[in-house]
Amino acid sequence: MNTIGVIFDLDGVIVDTAKYHFLAWKKLADTLGFEFTESHNELLKGVSRVRSLEILLDIGKVHISDNEKQEYLISKNEDYLSYITKMGPEEILPGASNLLDNLDALRIDYVLGSASKNAPLILKQVGLYNRFKGIVDGNSVSKAKPDPEVFLIGAKKLGLKPQNCVVFEDAIAGVEAANAAKMISIGIGDAQTLNRAHYNFNDLTELPEGFFQELLTEKV
Ligand code: BG6
Ligand code: MG
């Protein structure tokens, strides 16, 4: 077994589902009668579904009952599902498949560590479900990112100490969760936004050749 393992966030690292979350949340905001912009949508990245609704309602300064909240959570997810059930392998982000191939070649195990309750469905849609050694998703955690729980469960699935786990994340909350777990954090996206990450790349194609070999040498 290798001395390092990898934990991948899903949305924004392996697939670009933020656009579908945006369309579904925007439809709800339209129904409630306020504007929801792409920059508002940034605030929801990496955040759980329930927390996302709270942030959205704050943006619109809307107060609704708990029952209505439950109804809106269901209808938002139904809209979101109408998009993701049409996804296919062409929606895998650049560099992701190549990276998984490289990890396989190096015999480095990898698991998923996502806040999404739809993660298994999305992975099946894009044909990557069977490649992961384990899946930790929004159904398996009680505390959302930036709490490290999701990644600590991932480390257990890998059978590795947290400090030997490498996390790929596109959200501030996710980088914070990885750092809180004492893992090696890699920010994918804007380096300024993700300035707490140990390493930064604009996307997965930018990962230098030999990156994991170097980490392995350090960890032996
Ligand atoms: C995260 C996304 O991966 O999953 C968030 O970045 C989303 O935007 C969260 O709110 C929960 O997703 P889902 O699929 O359970 O509604
Ligand atoms: Mg993400």
Side-chain angles (χ1 to χ4, degrees), residues 92-114:
I92 298 172
L93 281 169
S97 296
N98 205 13
L99 175 53
L100 299 188
D101 291 345
N102 286 341
L103 292 173
D104 288 343
L106 292 164
R107 302 199 179 176
I108 295 175
D109 287 334
Y110 45 89
V111 297
L112 195 83
S114 165

Side-chain angles (χ1 to χ4, degrees), residues 17 19 28 37 46 54 80 130 177 181 192 219:
T17 40
K19 58 189 178 206
L28 177 56
T37 64
E54 284 166 5
Y80 182 58
N130 290 323
Q192 202 64 31
K219 293 287 176 188

Side-chain angles (χ1 to χ4, degrees), residues 9-13 45-46 145 169-171:
D9 174 47
L10 176 67
D11 296 312
V13 172
K45 283 191 179 169
K145 298 171 187 176
E169 255 297 345
D170 72 314

Side-chain angles (χ1 to χ4, degrees), residues 9-12 17-18 21 25 41 43-50 52 76-77 80 84 113-119 122 138-139 145 170-171:
D9 174 47
L10 176 67
D11 296 312
T17 40
H21 279 297
W25 285 125
N41 196 49
L43 304 172
L44 310 187
K45 283 191 179 169
V47 174
S48 72
R49 194 183 308 167
V50 172
S52 297
K76 182 270 168 178
N77 197 52
Y80 182 58
I84 60 175
S114 165
S116 171
K117 294 186 173 178
N118 294 302
I122 295 169
N139 302 296
K145 298 171 187 176
D170 72 314

Side-chain angles (χ1 to χ4, degrees), residues 197-213:
H198 297 121
Y199 298 88
N200 289 93
F201 301 105
N202 287 315
D203 62 48
L204 294 177
T205 64
E206 284 192 357
L207 218 66
E209 227 186 295
F211 180 79
F212 285 103
Q213 282 94 327

